[in-house]
């Protein structure tokens, strides 16, 4: 059976929104502005095969009319195995990063007149200034561990906090393993929203896992993604 794309978290991220990155970046034109989109380390852009394009179509459809998919990256080793036919492809990927832009009514518009700092302060206004994002991740991990086999739940942890580059949030979908084994499977989503050249952009990392232990490293990944996309577009 085809595995559904986990794009729900990305919708929420855009509706509100340490690893080193390579110097390579994809460049796109948005609202008449050229924007560079760096790839996460160890991830490769997925846009070559018909399967990869089909996944992109389903992600874009799920994001709805107010968000625009720019591209998505898959963990390079997984992508290579799928392309070589040595991995059991089930309609999606286990480890990928989605990049999108806020596009009200299908149109990407510049959000001029507001600084990045003001935008991020608006997003994180309900988070205590002394709250550490790592503490929020630990609370999320503790909460989802309380669920057992057979439980179905979507845990939205909202904004965990922000820094000078982005605002960060997490959602964990809890369900039964897709492969039919016993236990619990998590769809871990951790994303960021930022303002680059007046454009509202978001990175969202999605990973299927049997535990929540990947959340701290995913937070580091997405924080680095925000820092790099900001630096690449100064």
């Amino acid at each position: 059976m085809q595995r559904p794309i986990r794009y729900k978290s990305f919708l929420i991220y855009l509706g509100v929104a340490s690893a080193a990155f390579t110097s390579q970046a994809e460049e796109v034109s948005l609202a008449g502005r050229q924007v560079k989109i760096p790839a996460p380390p160890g991830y490769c852009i997925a846009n070559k095969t018909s399967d990869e394009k089909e996944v992109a179509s389903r992600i874009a459809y799920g994001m709805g009319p107010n968000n625009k998919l720019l591209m998505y990256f898959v963990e390079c080793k997984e992508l290579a195995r799928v392309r070589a036919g040595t991995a059991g492809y089930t309609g999606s990927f286990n480890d990928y990063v989605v990049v999108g832009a806020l596009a009200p009514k299908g149109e990407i518009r510049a959000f001029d007149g507001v600084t990045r700092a003001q935008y991020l302060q608006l997003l994180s206004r309900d988070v205590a200034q002394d709250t550490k994002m790592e503490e929020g991740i630990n609370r999320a991990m503790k909460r989802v561990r309380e669920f057992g086999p057979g439980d179905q739940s979507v845990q939205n942890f909202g904004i965990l906090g922000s820094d000078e580059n982005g605002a960060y949030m997490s959602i964990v979908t809890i369900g039964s393993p897709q492969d039919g084994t016993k236990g619990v499977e998590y769809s871990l989503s951790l994303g960021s929203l930022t303002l680059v050249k007046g454009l509202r952009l978001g990175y969202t990392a999605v990973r299927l896992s049997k535990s929540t232990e990947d959340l701290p490293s995913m937070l580091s990944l997405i924080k680095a993604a925000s820092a790099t996309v900001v630096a690449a577009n100064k």
Side-chain angles (χ1 to χ4, degrees):
M1 183 172 67
Q2 193 176 60
R3 178 181 294 159
I5 295 295
R6 265 56 167 194
Y7 47 64
K8 184 174 182 180
S9 56
F10 189 76
L11 296 176
I12 297 174
Y13 296 155
L14 291 183
V16 274
S18 124
F21 278 65
T22 66
S23 59
Q24 295 181 347
E26 301 291 328
E27 189 165 311
V28 295
S29 179
L30 303 172
R33 304 174 186 192
Q34 295 302 117
V35 179
K36 294 179 180 179
I37 308 293
Y43 288 75
C44 297
I45 190 168
N47 62 359
K48 292 184 177 180
T49 70
S50 59
D51 284 337
E52 292 162 27
K53 293 175 182 178
E54 172 63 21
V55 169
S57 296
R58 288 188 282 119
I59 293 175
Y61 177 80
M63 287 167 61
N66 294 319
N67 305 293
K68 179 178 177 61
L69 173 68
L70 302 182
M71 62 194 72
Y72 75 103
F73 302 93
V74 177
E75 194 272 329
C76 292
K77 293 180 180 179
E78 179 184 1
L79 187 60
R81 290 193 297 269
V82 170
R83 286 177 175 173
T86 58
Y89 180 72
T90 56
S92 183
F93 297 98
N94 294 320
D95 189 347
Y96 59 98
V97 177
V98 175
V99 187
L102 191 66
K105 297 182 179 180
E107 181 181 354
I108 296 177
R109 304 189 190 111
F111 200 50
D112 293 328
V114 177
T115 67
R116 184 181 305 112
Q118 291 170 331
Y119 177 62
L120 298 178
Q121 183 179 27
L122 177 65
L123 290 177
S124 58
R125 64 186 182 277
D126 295 327
V127 179
Q129 294 302 307
D130 60 350
T131 298
K132 295 182 179 179
M133 286 180 275
E134 290 76 10
E135 294 176 358
I137 287 292
N138 289 334
R139 287 195 298 271
M141 292 168 63
K142 181 179 179 181
R143 188 189 302 178
V144 297
R145 280 196 294 264
E146 296 173 355
F147 289 79
D151 287 328
Q152 304 285 331
S153 177
V154 177
Q155 296 292 311
N156 178 8
F157 298 101
I159 300 290
L160 301 172
S162 63
D163 58 20
E164 67 274 17
N165 298 307
Y168 307 94
M169 58 227 78
S170 180
I171 295 175
V172 178
T173 302
I174 306 164
S176 301
Q178 298 275 336
D179 59 10
T181 60
K182 294 182 179 180
V184 178
E185 182 174 73
Y186 304 102
S187 176
L188 309 176
S189 299
L190 210 151
S192 68
L193 282 171
T194 191
L195 193 67
V196 171
K197 293 187 176 181
L199 302 167
R200 290 164 286 184
L201 304 181
Y203 276 81
T204 302
V206 181
R207 191 173 298 173
L208 294 181
S209 178
K210 295 294 181 67
S211 77
T212 60
E213 299 302 316
D214 286 345
L215 282 173
S217 65
M218 291 171 70
L219 176 61
S220 296
L221 177 73
I222 292 301
K223 288 174 70 175
S226 291
T228 306
V229 75
V230 167
N233 291 282
K234 286 185 176 179

